[in-house]
């Protein structure tokens, strides 16, 4: 295919502050044109020419409660445009997934309305504590789907509407300041940080045949995201850091009447780095250890023949970590059908850096 795009944009932003209230608002205007010319297998021409003029307002209100606490409220309109590969109508065989991948020349841009509110607390010494609540409304979101008319072929499509909502907690603490221990060098040199987000996403599928639910998660959206890190750094140029991150199971390929959804099972990554500087920080040696858990990457299809009947606290846990009260989106060994199972090893490296 032959393709090109042009983007002309401009924006205005204003900042007004009255006592402890700061208001930042503005408008971005984008004129975007996208063109793609190709041919189908039968030689017929494919000409995609899209042009959109979009007005993207945003507003942020920051209310200072005192010297180290804020409340933030924000709203904005954003866009997600299809890539050329998603628009181009040709297909190719993916040997890693054993699926054919093809584009869709009818894709439209997605529009996203973002609303969120956040509480911020800054205890000092670079520390941070925040709690956020957010809502995102999608119009015409783009999803990766299994074509309903062809077996084992992946394409893309717009769905009418979707909504994401949830909360995020973030912490960054110096252990010496947290435990008020100025004399303990180990605590003073140790920084702890983490963030945890729970996201509920819903796409209306009440009219779809063959599904037991009225809604499903947005393709590619995990119900939770978790990151955790610890860093220890001394005055004699030693640095040790450990990081853990994981995301919940998510739909990798949206199914059709020919085949069920394909899910990507959640995995947890643990990384470790040890570094030491020499010669007045001119020479640095790093030992990196990545993916220490080496969990398999598993894609699976859920077996919904027996729906779960969890109650009480179990339903709440299922809702947070698996996206619905039944929790049947989780991977169950021996019950769900494995599509791909890939084993990844651990990675170890030694890096030496010298600054002249």
């Amino acid at each position: 295919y032959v393709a090109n795009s042009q983007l002309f944009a401009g924006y205005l932003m204003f900042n007004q502050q009255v006592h402890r209230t700061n208001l930042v608002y503005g408008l971005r205007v984008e004129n975007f044109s996208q063109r793609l010319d190709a041919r189908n297998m039968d030689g017929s021409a494919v000409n995609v020419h899209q042009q959109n003029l979009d007005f993207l307002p945003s507003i942020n209100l920051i209310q200072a409660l005192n010297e180290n606490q804020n409340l933030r409220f924000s709203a904005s309109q954003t866009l997600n445009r299809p890539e050329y590969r998603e628009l181009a109508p040709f297909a190719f065989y993916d040997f890693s997934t054993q699926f054919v991948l093809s584009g869709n020349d009818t894709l439209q841009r997605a529009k996203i309305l973002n609303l969120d509110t956040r509480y911020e607390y800054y205890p000092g010494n670079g520390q941070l504590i925040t709690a956020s609540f957010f809502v995102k409304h999608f119009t015409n979101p783009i999803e990766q789907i299994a074509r309903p008319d062809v077996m084992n072929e992946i394409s893309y499509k717009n769905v009418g509407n979707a909504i994401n909502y949830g909360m995020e907690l973030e912490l960054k603490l110096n252990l010496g300041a947290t435990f008020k221990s100025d004399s303990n060098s180990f605590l003073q040199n140790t920084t702890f940080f983490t963030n945890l987000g729970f996201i509920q996403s819903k796409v209306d599928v009440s009219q779809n045949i063959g599904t037991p639910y009225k809604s499903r998660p947005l393709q590619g959206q995990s119900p939770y995201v978790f990151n955790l890190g610890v860093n220890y750094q001394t005055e004699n140029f030693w640095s040790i850091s450990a990081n853990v991150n994981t995301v919940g199971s998510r739909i990798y390929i949206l199914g059709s009447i020919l085949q069920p959804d394909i899910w990507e099972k959640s995995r947890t990554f643990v990384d470790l780095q040890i570094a030491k500087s020499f010669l007045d920080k001119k020479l640095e040696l790093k030992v990196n250890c990545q993916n220490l858990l080496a969990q398999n990457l598993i894609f699976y299809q859920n077996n919904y023949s027996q729906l779960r009947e969890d109650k009480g606290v179990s339903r709440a846990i299922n809702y947070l970590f698996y996206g619905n009260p039944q929790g049947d989106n989780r991977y169950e060994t021996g019950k769900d059908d494995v599509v791909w199972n890939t084993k990844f090893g651990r990675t170890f490296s030694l890096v030496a850096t010298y600054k002249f």
Side-chain angles (χ1 to χ4, degrees):
Y1 63 87
V2 177
N4 64 71
S5 63
Q6 288 183 325
L7 173 65
F8 296 93
Y11 74 93
L12 289 173
M13 185 177 71
F14 302 91
N15 189 337
Q16 293 179 283
Q17 185 162 358
V18 180
H19 301 295
R20 291 185 173 181
T21 302
N22 189 23
L23 181 64
V24 182
Y25 58 98
L27 175 68
R28 179 178 174 87
V29 181
E30 293 189 354
N31 188 351
F32 181 80
S33 63
Q34 188 173 38
R35 190 177 191 94
L36 183 145
D37 299 307
R39 290 191 177 276
N40 287 314
M41 290 293 292
D42 60 5
S44 59
V46 175
N47 303 113
V48 179
H49 185 201
Q50 299 179 357
Q51 184 164 4
N52 300 107
L53 177 64
D54 292 297
F55 296 88
L56 308 174
S58 67
I59 183 169
N60 291 269
L61 175 65
I62 302 100
Q63 177 64 52
L65 302 180
N66 52 43
E67 292 182 354
N68 55 10
Q69 295 185 71
N70 291 331
L71 275 179
R72 290 178 179 263
F73 305 92
S74 66
S76 64
Q77 177 75 56
T78 56
L79 296 173
N80 179 22
R81 297 187 176 97
E83 300 177 354
Y84 289 130
R85 183 63 198 87
E86 297 170 343
L87 284 169
F90 71 88
F92 73 91
Y93 183 73
D94 186 343
F95 287 91
S96 62
T97 64
Q98 299 181 17
F99 273 67
V100 173
L101 182 63
S102 63
N104 177 2
D105 56 17
T106 66
L107 287 180
Q108 302 295 315
R109 76 197 188 290
K111 303 185 73 172
I112 310 164
L113 175 63
N114 310 278
L115 304 170
D116 73 79
T117 180
R118 182 169 68 172
Y119 167 77
E120 302 173 339
Y121 174 48
Y122 302 94
N125 292 330
Q127 300 180 103
L128 172 69
I129 301 174
T130 70
S132 306
F133 300 89
F134 60 86
V135 177
K136 293 176 178 288
H137 184 270
F138 300 80
T139 302
N140 294 328
I142 300 171
E143 295 188 304
Q144 182 172 264
I145 66 164
R147 283 186 54 174
D149 56 335
V150 181
M151 191 68 175
N152 293 339
E153 183 164 333
I154 303 171
S155 188
Y156 305 90
K157 76 167 185 178
N158 294 107
V159 294
N161 293 282
I163 188 169
N164 281 6
Y165 59 92
M167 64 175 296
E168 181 182 14
L169 303 174
E170 183 177 5
L171 295 173
K172 183 180 179 182
L173 301 174
N174 176 270
L175 298 189
T178 301
F179 294 102
K180 299 180 180 180
S181 178
D182 296 335
S183 60
N184 190 313
S185 61
F186 175 79
L187 295 180
Q188 284 291 325
N189 295 330
T190 303
T191 301
F192 167 88
F193 55 90
T194 184
N195 71 290
L196 172 64
F198 291 107
I199 308 100
Q200 287 294 310
S201 63
K202 291 186 177 181
V203 179
D204 184 9
V205 293
S206 58
Q207 303 302 315
N208 290 13
I209 300 173
T211 176
Y213 302 114
K214 294 182 179 180
S215 64
R216 59 162 174 81
L218 187 67
Q219 182 267 321
Q221 179 62 65
S222 298
Y224 69 89
V225 178
F226 175 68
N227 297 283
L228 171 67
V230 179
N231 179 262
Y232 175 74
Q233 190 163 4
T234 67
E235 295 180 355
N236 59 350
F237 309 135
W238 276 99
S239 175
I240 302 174
S241 62
N243 296 279
V244 179
N245 62 79
T246 185
V247 297
S249 298
R250 53 195 172 189
I251 298 176
Y252 178 66
I253 301 173
L254 193 63
S256 67
I257 58 175
L258 296 178
Q259 53 195 353
D261 300 336
I262 295 179
W263 287 74
E264 178 185 350
K265 180 182 177 295
S266 63
R267 287 193 296 161
T268 301
F269 291 86
V270 177
D271 301 328
L272 177 67
Q273 182 184 88
I274 302 174
K276 179 70 168 74
S277 296
F278 303 90
L279 304 177
D280 195 24
K281 293 188 176 182
K282 290 185 177 181
L283 175 64
E284 184 181 50
L285 298 179
K286 290 182 181 179
V287 177
N288 298 304
C289 309
Q290 295 178 300
N291 195 22
L292 291 177
L293 297 183
Q295 294 182 343
N296 287 13
L297 175 59
I298 297 175
F299 294 91
Y300 62 96
Q301 291 174 323
N302 272 316
N303 185 348
Y304 292 114
S305 59
Q306 293 182 345
L307 298 182
R308 303 173 62 91
E309 294 294 337
D310 290 343
K311 298 180 180 180
V313 176
S314 295
R315 289 175 63 87
I317 294 175
N318 290 339
Y319 187 78
L320 291 175
F321 289 95
Y322 300 106
N324 64 20
Q326 292 78 22
D328 45 75
N329 293 336
R330 75 180 78 185
Y331 172 69
E332 296 183 281
T333 305
K335 293 184 179 181
D336 294 327
D337 298 322
V338 175
V339 181
W340 308 297
N341 188 344
T342 306
K343 181 177 178 61
F344 292 91
R346 300 167 181 86
T347 302
F348 301 92
S349 63
L350 174 63
V351 180
T353 305
Y354 186 83
K355 297 179 182 179
F356 294 94

